[in-house]
Amino acid sequence: MTSESEKTPGFFLMAERSARTAGLYAPHPAQNSLNRRGLLITGAGLLTTGLLSTQAQATGTARHATGQTLHAPAIVGKARPALPLVMLDPGHGGKDPGAIGYTGTYEKHVAEAAATELRQQLLATGRYRVAMTRTSDHFVPLDGRVELAQEHGASLFISMHADALHNAGVRGASVYTHSHGASDSQTADLAKTENSADRYGGPLVQGTSPEVQQILASLVTEEARRGSAHMASAVVASFQSRINLLSHPHRHAAFAVLKSAQIPSVLVEMGFMSNRLDEAALRQAGHRAMVAGAMCTAVNRYFAAAGVGLAG
């Protein structure tokens, strides 16, 4: 009677070949045949091992398919660009009080309060990031204010003030941009006062020589000048229906704090501490909120014209 194993010689041949391939079978000259029972056991073991390996691979594939171990890479190309950063610069601070009003109002406090209000309104739009050169009552040198804007990569720099003039009858808001010369004598005096703020910082931060100031002024690029002029126009347009303005409200002079070569920069005088009516208005939170609202509108107009800063 023929045995069951003899009916399937192909199986043993396959098992023998598999054993050789796996390095399990090395025939000896005196051992030309392997016990068929041993081959059967070896072949079954190899088949079992193959089945287990296949099952493990299938399990691994299933795990990958369920996302347990693999994560889809981020699609950088579709990431939204960073929002433009607006740097607000509350004038003066610390040992530099700025102008002092008739009732003792310090310009530094008015500037910080108005800038803080503007920051809140800008952030509420969701269109911008906002930073401030100071958020408390401390002194910051003029160059340090410009450097902060540059280090943060600001897209726009706004310095906020409420200075004093020799003529107490002058009142109203105005906006200033940088230039080599002053647009008028009043603005020249204002720039001289502003540029002397570093005297409070001691000899290490006091103003540079006229020659160096001229060099610094020449570093302001034409692109930054155009951007500054556009922002100044936006401020005037936004203020006209809400805030009292000086005649010819856009003026220019060699303000040290506006000398950034890369960043469009404006200095906004919200009013003058030397005028009783302006001082009284700027002491009121409601009036400062209205000024900040007009400024926020101006910023929106400026970036809308540039095609950035729009919520999408």
Side-chain angles (χ1 to χ4, degrees), residues 79-267:
R80 292 185 64 181
L83 297 175
L85 187 140
V86 179
M87 177 65 75
L88 302 180
D89 173 44
H92 310 280
K95 50 195 169 184
D96 174 14
I100 302 175
Y102 281 103
T103 64
T105 307
Y106 282 8
E107 178 189 359
K108 64 177 182 178
H109 294 150
V110 168
E112 183 184 341
T116 300
E117 173 66 27
L118 176 54
R119 176 182 179 274
Q120 293 172 351
Q121 292 194 28
L122 289 172
L123 290 175
T125 68
R127 299 178 180 182
Y128 317 106
R129 294 172 295 140
V130 183
M132 294 174 63
T133 57
R134 66 179 182 90
T135 55
S136 61
D137 186 15
H138 67 275
F139 176 79
V140 182
L142 296 176
D143 283 346
R145 297 168 189 263
V146 178
E147 288 171 4
L148 281 171
Q150 293 172 336
E151 289 171 3
H152 281 75
S155 300
L156 180 65
F157 180 88
I158 303 173
S159 192
M160 303 182 71
H161 293 260
D163 283 295
L165 298 173
H166 296 301
N167 184 352
V170 176
R171 66 173 304 222
S174 49
V175 58
Y176 301 82
T177 52
H178 190 282
S179 72
H180 296 290
S183 55
D184 55 86
S185 58
Q186 179 178 289
T187 303
D189 290 341
L190 191 61
K192 184 177 180 181
T193 300
E194 278 301 320
N195 292 346
S196 67
D198 279 347
R199 68 186 183 277
Y200 291 96
L204 293 179
V205 295
Q206 285 180 2
T208 56
S209 68
E211 292 79 9
V212 174
Q213 288 181 9
Q214 184 66 24
I215 294 172
L216 291 173
S218 68
L219 295 177
V220 180
T221 64
E222 185 58 32
E223 183 178 359
R225 286 194 185 95
R226 285 197 300 268
S228 301
H230 290 158
M231 180 57 192
S233 296
V235 170
V236 171
S238 300
F239 274 37
Q240 278 178 338
S241 61
R242 290 180 264 187
I243 310 296
N244 184 53
L245 288 166
L246 292 182
S247 59
H248 308 294
H250 177 197
R251 307 184 181 199
H252 53 82
F255 289 92
V257 78
L258 302 181
K259 70 174 185 291
S260 172
Q262 300 86 19
I263 306 169
S265 306
V266 296
L267 186 151

